[in-house]
Amino acid sequence: MSLSTAAPSLAELTTLRVGGPADAYVEATTEAELIDTIRAADDAGEPLLVVGGGSNLLVADEGFGGVVVRDARTGFERESQDACGGASVTAVGGQDWDDLVVAAVENGWVGIESLSGIPGTVGAAPVQNIGAYGQEVAGALSTVRTWDRLRGRVRTFAVGELALGYRTSVLKESMRGAPTADDPRAPWFPTPRYVVLAVTFQFRLGTLSAPVGYGELARRLGVEVGERAPQGDLRAAVLELRAGKGMLADGRFGAAPGADRDRFSAGSFFTNPVVPADQAHLLPAEAPRYPVRTAMPMTSTGPSLGVVDPTLVKTSAAWLIDHAGFAKGFGLAGAASRATLSTKHTLALTNRGGASADDVVALARVIRDGVQDAYGITLEPEPVLVGVSL
Ligand code: EPU
């Protein structure tokens, strides 16, 4: 464990590259160090911010008045593999997500190939149930080992206990819930009650991908939605699509994101609005409508596309933003212009260089209010906002 006195700024620890200093900073290199640090902060009543890849965080310019701990562990292990049961693989929370996807594609572990190129760590993946191109991590999870900050002990969740939904889980929900008799310290913010220590995946074996669940990706691969493609081809196609949208992981934590300012972002800044199907007529007529699928269950033939929930419809936040008058590259005047929409995708707010958290927040407010005025839909931010709010 390294406890540095000169704590880094959150700008150095996040992909948006904004945020002031931390009071204290710890890099945990073992599970015991991670738990000890969390326990010490909690016992002392110190605010705690556990960071992984820093790709889903927007922290205030004042910084964080508490302990920031980065899970600096890496590694994953195949625990079993056979033709019937598939492969069971456990990765530590700090493991770079995309390096695990690379290994999965190389080893013929099917179920996360569409999640290629997503920034961040394994530990963050189940918290917000990362998803892209028709796949969610929910479909490949087996168990999640966590540190329960309330009870002060390890708790392992089976996938069915995680209440995984669109960009949410019980882990994420613990950050918003009101106090109850069972959990008087709720809500836990900005770090969930349960801190992910390790994740066990259950993969089917094969050279072909899971069924392709996204039209844009299927077209690029020359297959129909629901058909499979060679895993390597699918990964390559996803990386191309993500690169075109400026939403590519740029390697490990701390790696310079190169000259492309469109990559100084927290990915999608807003979630796609989900509305009850019986109110879908209130959406603008031309706006995209996507089916909402329940968490994708493993079947005997591997991860399926999941069952469409007929009671819900998802629309596109990017489309709403674009059509409310905020084109790619949109920015405010003056100093706040240091933050703009990505020039490649309207859903990413980007730091063009020297942007403050306030610049990003000012832009986010204008976008949210503009969409609200135009369409009556309130966009919800996807990243965790620490010390700032819209
Ligand atoms: N669109 C625009 N203008 C733009 C970009 C997109 O109008 O500048 C419209 C288009 O009509 C397009 C639609 O938005 O068809 C949807 O865009 P896209 O396919 O890029 O996907 P998205 O819904 O904006 C979601 C996820 C992404 C994920 C992609 C691909 C959320 C909040 N975002 O974006 O995930 O990579 O689908 O599956 O669910 C993230 O969560 O951080 C993230 C990047």
Side-chain angles (χ1 to χ4, degrees):
M1 170 158 50
S2 67
L3 178 59
S4 86
T5 39
S9 72
L10 271 301
E12 295 165 74
L13 295 171
T14 57
T15 54
L16 249 176
R17 299 293 201 274
V18 306
D23 275 5
Y25 176 66
V26 175
E27 276 188 359
T29 53
T30 65
E31 185 179 285
E33 284 173 359
L34 181 59
I35 291 173
D36 284 351
T37 308
I38 296 167
R39 199 206 290 264
D42 284 342
D43 288 352
E46 286 252 27
L48 174 75
L49 177 60
V50 176
V51 298
S55 51
N56 201 44
L57 268 183
L58 169 54
V59 185
D61 297 315
E62 294 71 37
F64 186 69
V67 181
V68 174
V69 52
R70 187 168 80 83
D71 184 352
R73 302 171 299 149
T74 64
F76 54 88
E77 197 177 4
R78 184 181 66 194
E79 273 142 6
S80 63
Q81 178 164 326
D82 62 68
C84 297
S88 176
V89 176
T90 295
V92 296
Q95 167 65 39
D96 177 77
W97 171 260
D98 195 49
D99 284 353
L100 179 68
V101 179
V102 170
V105 170
E106 278 171 0
N107 287 293
W109 303 335
V110 181
I112 54 173
E113 56 282 354
S114 293
L115 308 179
S116 288
I118 296 184
T121 58
V122 164
V127 177
Q128 63 154 345
N129 186 20
I130 57 168
Y133 300 103
Q135 223 167 43
E136 287 181 341
V137 73
L141 290 176
S142 170
T143 60
V144 177
R145 178 182 159 86
T146 70
W147 175 252
D148 178 351
R149 298 168 62 198
L150 179 67
R151 305 250 181 267
R153 61 174 170 78
V154 169
R155 170 159 179 196
T156 299
F157 288 87
V159 60
E161 299 173 300
L162 286 166
L164 294 153
Y166 170 58
R167 295 296 183 280
T168 193
S169 68
V170 287
L171 313 175
K172 182 138 184 199
E173 280 308 311
S174 77
M175 297 166 75
R176 324 190 240 238
T180 62
D182 277 348
D183 189 352
R185 286 171 62 184
W188 297 78
F189 192 86
T191 297
R193 168 175 166 184
Y194 305 98
V195 177
V196 177
L197 302 171
V199 177
T200 301
F201 298 88
Q202 181 64 38
F203 299 119
R204 190 180 62 86
L205 302 179
T207 51
L208 293 183
S209 69
V212 177
Y214 207 77
E216 188 184 21
L217 178 61
R219 277 193 298 281
R220 183 161 294 229
L221 286 162
V223 301
E224 297 293 323
V225 169
E227 288 181 357
R228 301 169 193 270
Q231 279 221 70
D233 294 358
L234 186 129
R235 174 173 169 83
V238 168
L239 291 180
E240 269 177 42
L241 283 175
R242 293 193 71 96
K245 297 175 188 182
M247 293 211 186
L248 204 51
D250 255 300
R252 287 158 196 79
F253 164 81
D260 186 353
R261 300 301 310 189
D262 284 330
R263 293 190 187 177
F264 287 62
S265 81
S268 298
F269 194 87
F270 297 102
T271 47
N272 284 331
V274 175
V275 299
D278 59 10
Q279 288 170 33
H281 62 279
L282 299 175
L283 297 174
E286 313 77 35
R289 285 165 168 71
Y290 308 115
V292 177
R293 295 175 191 274
T294 53
M296 297 154 200
M298 286 290 275
T299 66
S300 54
T301 52
S304 76
L305 266 185
V307 183
V308 173
D309 181 343
T311 68
L312 297 172
V313 171
K314 198 194 286 180
T315 190
S316 161
W319 188 96
L320 295 171
I321 292 168
D322 221 331
H323 289 76
F326 308 108
K328 297 179 181 91
F330 172 86
L332 302 176
S337 65
R338 296 175 299 194
T340 73
L341 295 185
S342 163
T343 68
K344 300 185 182 74
H345 201 292
T346 56
L347 201 46
L349 273 60
T350 61
N351 177 351
R352 310 316 290 184
S356 65
D358 287 346
D359 295 336
V360 177
V361 168
L363 177 64
R365 284 198 186 116
V366 168
I367 302 291
R368 181 205 52 189
D369 293 348
V371 169
Q372 170 78 51
D373 289 348
Y375 297 113
I377 293 171
T378 309
L379 297 180
E380 299 290 344
E382 184 192 283
V384 177
L385 272 45
V386 182
V388 293
S389 67
L390 300 196

